[in-house]
């Protein structure tokens, strides 16, 4: 059984994001990913241990390219000041000014090294920059064991939980309207 937890920061502007690191403070920044190949490769690397690839198992390069072109989707790499990519952030901007964190995580080599809290603070800050009236995310029992604790300590609050015996797949981006065929 998989426990899915739906979380929200109802007032992201009021969240105190100072000194979110557990060890020494690290300067992190986001860099928008414009290449569908880089987006899909980073998504796979970050999410492999947590079964993310299952959600988009049918996506081709054309699907990724179409997804990246959506005006309501922003995909970024999370970088150190030295230019090392440590993670992945994918957000969806909803018409009601809710920002949904669709996917967030660190590359395997950076897990457990104190980057998670700072990276999440950066994701929340990005939501505020995008004009979020609330920030939502969904996590599940397949994610990193420390993820839920990090979300709660960062100001997220429980909306609801569901227990199911299956994983719902992400929608496949429509290609027909562009004259592209799924392969």
């Amino acid at each position: 059984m998989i426990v899915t937890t739906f979380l929200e920061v109802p007032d992201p502007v009021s969240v105190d994001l100072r000194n979110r690191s557990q060890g020494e403070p690290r300067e992190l920044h986001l860099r928008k990913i414009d290449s569908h190949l880089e987006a899909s490769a980073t998504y796979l690397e970050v999410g492999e241990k947590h079964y993310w690839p299952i959600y988009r198992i049918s996506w081709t390069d054309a699907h990724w390219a179409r997804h990246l072109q959506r005006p309501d989707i922003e995909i970024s790499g999370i970088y150190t000041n030295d230019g090392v990519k440590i993670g992945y952030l994918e957000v969806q901007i909803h018409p009601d000014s809710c920002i949904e964190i669709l996917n967030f995580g660190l590359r395997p080599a950076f897990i457990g090294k104190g980057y998670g809290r700072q990276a999440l603070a950066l994701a929340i800050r990005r939501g505020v920059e995008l004009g979020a009236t609330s920030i939502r995310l969904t996590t599940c029992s397949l994610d990193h064991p420390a993820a839920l604790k990090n979300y709660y300590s960062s100001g997220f609050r429980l909306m609801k939980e569901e227990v199911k015996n299956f994983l719902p797949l992400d929608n496949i981006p429509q290609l027909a309207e562009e004259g592209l065929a799924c392969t």
Side-chain angles (χ1 to χ4, degrees):
M1 300 305 276
I2 299 166
V3 178
T4 302
T5 306
F6 299 83
L7 302 166
E8 177 181 39
V9 175
D11 184 14
V13 175
S14 69
V15 175
D16 182 6
L17 300 173
R18 292 172 289 163
N19 197 14
R20 295 285 304 141
S21 64
Q22 287 182 328
E24 70 182 60
R26 295 181 166 96
E27 291 290 325
L28 301 178
H29 64 275
L30 296 175
R31 187 179 309 151
K32 188 174 179 195
I33 295 177
D34 294 319
S35 160
H36 69 279
L37 296 174
E38 181 184 355
S40 64
T42 307
Y43 172 91
L44 290 171
E45 181 185 8
V46 168
E48 186 173 29
K49 283 187 172 183
H50 309 292
Y51 301 93
W52 289 10
I54 291 171
Y55 296 102
R56 296 181 178 176
I57 196 164
S58 300
W59 287 32
T60 63
D61 285 347
H63 292 118
W64 271 99
R66 177 75 177 144
H67 185 63
L68 204 56
Q69 293 170 1
R70 289 177 47 179
D72 63 329
I73 296 292
E74 180 177 284
I75 298 177
S76 301
I78 302 169
Y79 288 84
T80 65
N81 272 351
D82 318 12
V84 177
K85 184 174 17 174
I86 66 162
Y88 179 91
L89 174 65
E90 180 178 349
V91 299
Q92 183 173 12
I93 305 149
H94 292 277
D96 64 356
S97 297
C98 172
I99 302 296
E100 182 178 1
I101 298 175
L102 298 176
N103 295 288
F104 165 78
L106 301 177
R107 294 174 60 207
F110 299 95
I111 293 172
K113 299 198 183 326
Y115 287 100
R117 288 176 179 262
Q118 198 73 13
L120 185 56
L122 185 62
I124 293 169
R125 214 173 279 119
R126 182 62 188 141
V128 170
E129 290 169 2
L130 291 169
T133 54
S134 68
I135 299 175
R136 293 184 178 172
L137 68 79
T138 303
T139 187
C140 77
S141 53
L142 298 175
D143 285 338
H144 190 278
L148 202 52
K149 180 180 177 188
N150 190 17
Y151 297 142
Y152 284 134
S153 70
S154 297
F156 283 88
R157 301 292 169 248
L158 178 67
M159 292 172 54
K160 69 176 181 174
E161 280 188 342
E162 293 178 352
V163 179
K164 295 184 178 177
N165 63 354
F166 66 92
L167 292 171
L169 301 181
D170 287 353
N171 292 327
I172 297 175
Q174 297 299 311
L175 301 177
E177 65 197 50
E178 297 283 331
L180 301 172
C182 295
T183 54

